[in-house]
Amino acid sequence: MASEDVKLLGGWPSPYVMRPRIALNIKSVNYEFLEEKFGSKSDLLLKSNPVYKKIPVLIHGEKPICESLIIVEYVDEVWNSGHTILPSDPYDRAVARFWATYIDDKWFPGIRAISRADGEEAKKKAVEEVIAGLVLLEDAFIKCSKGKSFFGGDKIGYLDIALGCFLGWLRVTEKLGNFALLDESKTPNLFKWAEKFSSDDAVKDIMPQTDKLMEFAKVLMAKSKAS
Amino acid sequence: MAPEKELVQLIGFWGSPYVLSVRWALKLKGIEYEYHEENLLKKSPLLLQYNPVYKKVPVLLHNGKPLVESLMIIQYIDETWKQNPLQPQDPYERAKTLFWAKFAHEKCIAPMVSSFFKIGEEQEKCVKEACEHLRTLESALEEGKRFFGGETIGFVDIAAAWMGCWARIIEEILSVKLIDEEKMPRLIAWFSNVVEVPALKECMPPTQNLLEHNIKFRKFLVAAAERLQSVPLTGN
């Protein structure tokens, strides 16, 4: 199984692509990273993810696996080396999945809403919502970490990956708007966690640099204004 | 029965298909549970305590520990009670199952439900979106297979096959077309194969009751929207 061909279709700025990359790093799996060109979709992508036509897609042998969190679970189940990513207890697993879905469905869209907000009042409201979400996640961190460094305990786990992949974009949003979202006074545990997560071996080489991401964000904003 | 004392409670609403899918999972696993009916117009302190983020049903309590969101509850049930597995053992097959359950919920069911809350162009948009994705789901079903994954009932079946019944109710109340008999024969067969399973049929609320309830609900939604706009709304 480990000797089979492993490819990951992705793009460096995508937080969703970061998720399976972190998982593969934790498991020390050698894989080929196929970078999609921004603005176009390769034939391989369209063939392996015909439903959504989106990155990331993991191609294991001939088998395509889509949707970032589903890929993370798949990687965890297939490769037994490295620590386990999902909690072993079914209830803890359910809690981790709940917060990961909350992050995707409610929290991260809140970050995007900040840049799309029209006017000061709307922007302020959008920022408050993101911070309120972080306060919920701070509480979740305290419960899940049980005093340790990560949501997953001593080592990075599923929920660390689910949230941590957005740190780059969070920092860009803070810099562009000149405000703090991850506030040491409001969410001290998450604040500390963000540093530890970003410097973890499985993460540090693939976390995009904030400046590089900011340049990319500016290109994106210019393109969307033009269209 | 498990050796230690197991207390399983479900907080639900009789008309909720999400609650139904959890009841289906519990039924297929042979799990005994206490059911608490929730009044969604006046949510109980219990519901607000156990699901503070979304304040919705279903909520499953297992020995006092709350679980929310139907897909996650069903996964939890499958991982905790090993008899009659709902998900495949093979990791790739399991990934595909999760993919399609999520697709059914996010791309088919969500716009279908949204259409019920909307009027005019916005409603048309939701209906169009639902139909497009239903055609994709149709193509994911394999010809001649009784259930989504084969001959045994599984995760995608109980997570999503109830949508056939709710689609018909929405069609009738809104006078829209969601299920195309010509283009979606496999979906129609699949819906029927799942809900006709005796254990699952037992749990289904009577269609007439669902229809009456949703007619009232739609009238309430339209009246509320009219009050906001201060003009009568045309259409359904």
Side-chain angles (χ1 to χ4, degrees):
Chain A
M1 193 111 59
S3 61
E4 266 181 4
D5 198 30
V6 182
K7 293 186 174 73
L8 184 72
L9 301 183
W12 68 268
S14 163
Y16 303 102
V17 170
M18 256 189 90
R19 288 169 168 176
R21 293 186 81 179
I22 298 170
L24 290 163
N25 285 352
I26 288 171
K27 303 289 187 175
S28 306
V29 175
N30 287 321
Y31 66 97
E32 195 186 344
F33 185 54
L34 298 171
E35 186 99 36
E36 285 286 309
K37 235 188 297 195
F38 180 69
S40 71
K41 293 178 199 261
S42 69
D43 287 341
L44 185 59
L45 175 61
L46 297 176
K47 184 177 144 211
S48 16
N49 192 357
V51 175
Y52 291 112
K53 305 175 177 55
K54 281 185 177 175
I55 50 174
V57 181
L58 183 80
I59 306 177
H60 185 201
E62 299 291 306
K63 299 181 278 200
I65 300 106
C66 310
E67 296 293 281
S68 61
L69 293 175
I70 294 179
I71 300 173
V72 170
E73 290 210 29
Y74 176 83
V75 168
D76 197 33
E77 284 164 25
V78 168
W79 284 280
N80 298 314
S81 65
H83 62 272
T84 51
I85 295 171
L86 266 88
S88 46
D89 175 72
Y91 187 74
D92 292 340
R93 254 206 303 280
V95 170
R97 285 178 182 139
F98 170 82
W99 286 113
T101 311
Y102 167 82
I103 287 161
D104 279 358
D105 292 352
K106 298 267 180 268
W107 185 75
F108 187 61
I111 293 221
R112 280 201 251 124
I114 294 174
S115 55
R116 290 185 191 149
D118 210 5
E120 276 312 304
E121 200 56 48
K123 229 178 190 76
K124 191 164 168 245
K125 190 165 178 260
V127 168
E128 277 167 11
E129 279 194 34
V130 168
I131 294 176
L134 284 170
V135 169
L136 283 182
L137 290 164
E138 168 86 1
D139 190 55
F141 180 85
I142 294 167
K143 293 197 171 97
C144 296
S145 66
K146 301 184 178 81
K148 307 249 168 98
S149 303
F150 301 105
F151 284 96
D154 284 319
K155 300 211 165 145
I156 281 181
Y158 180 84
L159 193 45
D160 299 285
I161 296 173
L163 181 60
C165 66
F166 292 116
L167 285 171
W169 282 101
L170 182 141
R171 289 179 190 125
V172 165
T173 310
E174 286 178 328
K175 262 194 163 171
L176 285 174
N178 199 23
F179 44 64
L181 291 170
L182 199 55
D183 189 324
E184 195 171 3
S185 61
K186 295 197 176 96
T187 54
N189 288 286
L190 283 184
F191 191 84
K192 253 190 293 211
W193 163 83
E195 277 312 306
K196 288 205 177 108
F197 178 85
S198 305
S199 51
D200 187 272
D201 283 341
V203 176
K204 63 181 195 269
D205 294 334
I206 53 167
M207 175 71 84
Q209 291 164 357
T210 310
D211 290 337
K212 198 176 170 196
L213 206 55
M214 194 133 86
E215 283 313 306
F216 178 80
K218 288 180 179 158
V219 169
L220 265 184
M221 287 192 295
K223 272 204 167 125
S224 70
K225 279 201 179 101
S227 56
Chain B
M1 271 285 271
E4 70 271 8
K5 186 164 179 256
E6 295 270 24
L7 180 60
V8 181
Q9 298 158 297
L10 178 64
I11 305 174
F13 171 67
W14 71 269
S16 162
Y18 304 100
V19 173
L20 176 67
S21 64
V22 172
R23 294 186 81 164
W24 278 354
L26 292 165
K27 185 87 185 199
L28 289 172
K29 295 279 188 178
I31 298 165
E32 282 175 25
Y33 62 98
E34 285 172 17
Y35 178 74
H36 301 272
E37 178 75 17
E38 188 67 30
N39 176 0
L40 294 181
L41 293 175
K42 200 178 168 198
K43 293 181 179 178
S44 70
L46 203 70
L47 176 63
L48 301 176
Q49 177 199 342
Y50 287 124
N51 191 358
V53 176
Y54 296 113
K55 305 177 177 56
K56 283 181 176 177
V57 294
V59 177
L60 187 81
L61 294 164
H62 184 202
N63 295 328
K65 293 196 282 194
L67 294 116
V68 305
E69 298 291 286
S70 62
L71 287 185
M72 278 178 266
I73 296 174
I74 298 166
Q75 258 187 301
Y76 173 80
I77 290 171
D78 201 36
E79 289 171 9
T80 307
W81 287 275
K82 305 285 190 191
Q83 67 274 25
N84 301 337
L86 300 170
Q87 292 174 94
Q89 284 284 62
D90 175 73
Y92 178 62
E93 294 301 319
R94 190 152 60 246
K96 279 204 295 188
T97 292
L98 281 173
F99 176 88
W100 286 111
K102 236 182 131 219
F103 177 83
H105 267 237
E106 286 173 13
K107 297 294 180 187
C108 305
I109 291 166
M112 228 190 261
V113 167
S114 272
S115 72
F116 197 72
F117 286 79
K118 298 198 156 92
I119 54 158
E121 253 183 57
E122 278 193 24
Q123 184 188 94
E124 277 171 34
K125 201 169 159 231
C126 288
V127 168
K128 200 169 166 218
E129 199 190 321
C131 289
E132 189 192 315
H133 296 307
L134 282 166
R135 286 196 291 274
T136 305
L137 196 58
E138 166 83 12
S139 67
L141 284 162
E142 282 180 51
E143 191 74 56
K145 280 203 175 147
R146 199 164 154 222
F147 302 116
F148 198 90
E151 295 309 301
T152 327
I153 200 149
F155 191 82
V156 185
D157 306 305
I158 58 165
W162 51 262
M163 72 165 105
C165 171
W166 265 260
R168 294 295 186 206
I169 289 170
I170 293 170
E171 283 180 334
E172 188 164 333
I173 298 174
L174 301 184
S175 296
V176 294
K177 195 94 180 113
L178 285 162
I179 311 290
D180 187 327
E181 279 80 10
E182 276 181 33
K183 296 199 180 120
M184 301 171 189
R186 287 182 229 164
L187 272 180
I188 292 170
W190 174 53
F191 295 150
S192 158
N193 289 343
V194 175
V195 304
E196 288 302 312
V197 170
L200 305 188
K201 197 168 183 175
E202 260 176 57
C203 302
M204 282 289 285
T207 311
Q208 193 53 35
N209 294 10
L210 283 173
L211 190 58
E212 280 168 19
H213 162 74
N214 282 297
I215 287 172
K216 273 193 216 133
F217 187 33
R218 176 69 190 170
K219 282 201 172 109
F220 168 80
L221 288 171
V222 169
E226 280 183 348
R227 272 199 300 274
L228 275 175
Q229 290 192 3
S230 308
V231 287
L233 293 168
T234 53
N236 298 306

